[in-house]
Amino acid sequence: MRVIFWVITSILLAVLMMVSGFYHLIKPEFYVPIVPSFLPFPLAVVYLSGIVELLLGIATLFLNQKYTKYGLFGIFILMVIFLPIHIFDAMKDQPVIGSSTAAYVRLAFQFVLIWLSWKSYKFTSLARI
């Protein structure tokens, strides 16, 4: 049962990354305002993050166990990197996502994603599939 849970979690994380990456590429104007002002070329940052999300999702979902492990670790790192951006957005008077409530829900979800990606990575690292 535990194996099934972590396999399904890994699949869901991979799909989430691919969908999110796809949306970064087709709706970049939504993501540009959340890019920190100290980063140059915000549109390029959005496209780059979308490509990274797509690649991590593909590595996690479609490649062998070795790449699944790397993909999950990459998702974990990416979620940690995005955490300060979501914290900063939640503290704004008008968060990019819309309301403060939505921003704090997304922030809580970010912590869940960090935990799930780490635990999935650890499980995949130990598994002999």
Side-chain angles (χ1 to χ4, degrees):
M1 187 66 162
R2 201 174 125 205
V3 172
I4 293 170
F5 174 80
W6 290 114
V7 168
I8 291 171
T9 299
S10 297
I11 291 168
L12 291 175
L13 285 167
V15 169
L16 179 68
M17 286 296 103
M18 290 188 295
V19 169
S20 178
F22 179 71
Y23 273 100
H24 276 71
L25 299 177
I26 65 165
K27 292 276 193 187
E29 65 277 359
F30 176 79
Y31 297 95
V32 168
I34 201 168
V35 175
S37 59
F38 61 84
L39 291 176
F41 311 110
L43 185 60
V45 169
V46 170
Y47 282 130
L48 181 62
S49 63
I51 291 168
V52 168
E53 288 175 343
L54 274 171
L55 291 175
L56 289 173
I58 290 167
T60 301
L61 190 57
F62 295 115
L63 302 176
N64 64 30
Q65 181 186 356
K66 174 181 161 185
Y67 292 104
T68 296
K69 180 175 77 168
Y70 295 147
L72 288 166
F73 187 71
I75 292 169
F76 168 74
I77 295 296
L78 196 63
M79 295 300 100
V80 170
I81 289 170
F82 287 169
L83 182 62
I85 294 169
H86 294 304
I87 291 171
F88 179 73
D89 189 47
M91 294 182 349
K92 288 181 181 175
D93 290 335
Q94 183 59 49
V96 172
I97 198 167
S99 69
S100 292
T101 302
Y104 282 109
V105 167
R106 181 185 59 194
L107 184 57
F109 186 60
Q110 191 76 12
F111 283 105
V112 171
L113 290 174
I114 289 169
W115 181 78
L116 286 173
S117 59
W118 177 253
K119 294 296 280 186
S120 294
Y121 163 73
K122 293 303 283 181
F123 176 79
T124 304
S125 297
L126 297 173
R128 301 284 182 248
I129 299 172

